[in-house]
Every structure is written in structure tokens, then in C-alpha cells.
């Protein structure tokens, strides 16, 4: 299975813990940055700086398995792919690498959410179709992919 999108980021000084490597919680921020960048490629006008009106998605679960440390100024590549697309939720798998080393892998479960009704709702058909297309591993124009 190939990856739908790859997001590049760089380890900042503030990402480090007292041991001099990336703090575990910061890997979740790298997942978040990759998730937002991926969504921008499949959702028109996706802007996380504005409160959503009507439909949105919320993170219901995050899981990470740490494999190796990352260090200051290292370039990190976080690959994203949608899997398990259901009626009102979907899972995004992540894999973060640095210098061809697997650093962390994991997933997030996202749920369709009505901000007006404050409850979970089915995913719109258009979003489900775009997720299904991305699940086939077709790289987006502004993101790379590796098999």
C-alpha cells in the first residue's frame, strides 16, 4: 500500500526534551501538521485558523509507536494515508521518517461533526470520495509519496 501524501517538517529547538531529542508529544504535532496539510489537498478552502461553521471533523483517537529518536534541525517526512473510511469516521495512518530511519508510526481516527448540533454526523459523500481516491495512493501535486 502506498502513501497518499508526504509532509516535510524540520525539528525545532522547542521540540526537544532535556535529553536532546524530540519529545514524544511533539511527534503528535508533526502528525497534526501532516494531517492539516493533507486535508488542504482534498478539502476546498480548508482553513484551520477559522472556527468551522456547520460540518467539520474532530480527532477522536490518536495512537503512536515510537521507533527511534529525532534530533535538532533534522528534516522529518511524515507520510499520510486514509484507511477504514466508514459512514461517519475514517482513520489516517502516519509514518514519520528522518534520514530513511523510521522514527514513529501511528494513526488518528477522525469523526464527522456538526458544530451546530454538537454531535457526530455522517461524512459528506464528496469527502468520502476524495478520501477513497487518496487511499489509492495517488500523490497530490504538492506532496510526495513513497511506496
Amino acid at each position: 500500500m502506498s502513501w497518499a501524501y508526504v509532509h516535510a517538517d524540520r525539528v525545532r529547538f522547542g521540540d526537544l526534551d532535556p535529553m536532546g531529542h524530540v519529545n514524544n508529544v511533539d511527534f503528535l504535532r508533526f502528525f497534526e501538521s501532516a494531517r492539516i496539510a493533507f486535508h488542504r489537498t482534498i478539502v476546498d478552502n480548508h482553513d484551520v485558523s477559522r472556527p468551522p461553521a456547520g460540518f467539520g471533523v474532530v480527532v477522536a483517537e490518536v495512537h503512536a509507536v515510537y521507533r527511534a529518536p529525532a534530533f535538532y534541525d533534522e528534516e522529518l517526512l511524515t507520510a499520510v494515508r486514509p484507511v477504514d473510511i466508514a459512514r461517519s469516521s475514517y482513520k489516517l495512518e502516519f509514518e514519520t521518517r528522518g534520514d530513511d530511519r523510521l522514527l514513529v508510526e501511528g494513526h488518528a481516527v477522525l469523526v464527522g461533526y456538526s458544530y451546530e448540533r454538537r454531535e457526530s454526523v455522517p461524512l459528506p459523500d464528496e469527502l468520502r470520495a476524495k478520501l477513497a481516491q487518496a487511499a489509492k495512493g495517488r500523490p497530490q501535486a504538492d506532496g510526495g509519496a513513497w511506496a
Side-chain angles (χ1 to χ4, degrees):
M1 182 186 290
S2 62
W3 296 93
Y5 184 82
V6 177
H7 180 71
D9 215 331
R10 188 161 294 280
V11 176
R12 298 165 294 272
F13 180 78
D15 298 326
L16 304 179
D17 65 14
M19 301 301 293
H21 52 69
V22 172
N23 187 303
N24 289 356
V25 74
D26 284 288
F27 279 111
L28 299 179
R29 289 189 183 102
F30 292 121
F31 283 4
E32 177 183 57
S33 294
R35 174 179 53 83
I36 290 168
F38 167 70
H39 280 122
R40 284 184 174 156
T41 68
I42 66 167
V43 177
D44 295 334
N45 301 316
H46 183 65
D47 184 357
V48 297
S49 67
R50 295 184 315 217
F55 176 82
V57 293
V58 294
V59 176
E61 175 185 336
V62 172
H63 180 77
V65 179
Y66 303 99
R67 303 292 185 192
F71 300 97
Y72 175 72
D73 203 35
E74 188 172 1
E75 182 179 49
L76 304 182
L77 298 175
T78 300
V80 181
R81 67 176 160 222
V83 297
D84 301 337
I85 303 163
R87 183 182 71 83
S88 61
S89 66
Y90 57 99
K91 181 188 284 188
L92 291 179
E93 292 182 333
F94 301 99
E95 180 179 282
T96 301
R97 292 182 173 271
D99 295 325
D100 292 324
R101 298 176 353 265
L102 177 59
L103 304 174
V104 62
E105 55 192 333
H107 69 264
V109 175
L110 293 99
V111 176
Y113 188 78
S114 169
Y115 284 89
E116 294 165 348
R117 298 187 341 228
R118 296 182 181 197
E119 64 185 13
S120 65
V121 295
L123 301 173
D125 291 339
E126 181 181 356
L127 177 58
R128 287 173 48 82
K130 288 181 177 183
L131 288 166
Q133 183 68 25
K136 294 177 182 175
R138 305 225 193 293
Q140 301 296 325
D142 59 346
W146 62 75

